[in-house]
């Protein structure tokens, strides 16, 4: 019969492994996002939140891929429209554009 070995692993070890994987993923995401700095991406604006218009590039899925944040002070931006945005900075999870 098949034994489920995951039951033999303590919750602490499971959490340590998850933390290690998440740390590695953050590092990979940071590198990928940093490679986009100074590039122009076609971005659709999804919403306005706090001090930013929040969008995503034409290659990215909502809630999965990095969001593109454009200052809300930028004139002429409309939700639901596409814009060519220049990426000026990046973090593990977000791209900042103008």
């Amino acid at each position: 019969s098949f034994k489920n070995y995951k039951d033999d692993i303590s919750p602490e070890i499971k959490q340590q492994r998850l933390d290690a994987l998440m740390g590695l993923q953050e590092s990979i995401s940071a590198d990928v996002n940093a490679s986009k700095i100074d590039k122009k991406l076609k971005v659709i604006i999804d919403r306005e939140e706090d001090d930013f218009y929040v969008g995503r590039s034409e290659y990215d899925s909502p809630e999965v891929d990095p969001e593109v944040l454009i200052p809300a002070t930028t004139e002429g931006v409309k939700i639901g429209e596409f814009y060519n945005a220049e990426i000026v900075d990046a973090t593990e999870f977000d791209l900042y554009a103008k």
Side-chain angles (χ1 to χ4, degrees):
S1 79
F2 178 75
K3 178 171 168 92
N4 192 345
Y5 288 100
K6 73 176 183 164
D7 295 333
D8 293 338
I9 300 170
S10 73
E12 294 80 16
I13 296 296
K14 289 177 186 178
Q15 188 62 51
Q16 288 173 357
R17 291 176 179 176
L18 176 62
D19 292 346
L21 285 171
M22 291 304 294
L24 179 60
Q25 181 57 49
E26 283 183 21
S27 175
I28 292 167
S29 293
D31 290 345
V32 168
N33 286 349
S35 73
K36 296 176 182 176
I37 294 174
D38 295 329
K39 295 188 176 167
K40 290 197 178 204
L41 298 176
K42 188 175 182 181
V43 173
I44 188 168
I45 304 301
D46 291 323
R47 67 186 185 282
E48 187 174 351
E49 185 177 300
D50 299 325
D51 297 331
F52 295 97
Y53 289 107
V54 181
R56 57 195 154 84
S57 84
E58 62 185 318
Y59 306 107
D60 295 324
S61 298
E63 299 182 25
V64 176
D65 292 310
E67 293 182 319
V68 179
L69 306 175
I70 299 171
T73 55
T74 306
E75 293 184 20
V77 177
K78 294 180 183 173
I79 294 170
E81 297 290 325
F82 279 97
Y83 297 93
N84 288 319
E86 181 182 350
I87 306 304
V88 295
D89 199 5
T91 65
E92 293 92 346
F93 304 110
D94 297 313
L95 300 170
Y96 293 87
K98 61 179 184 176

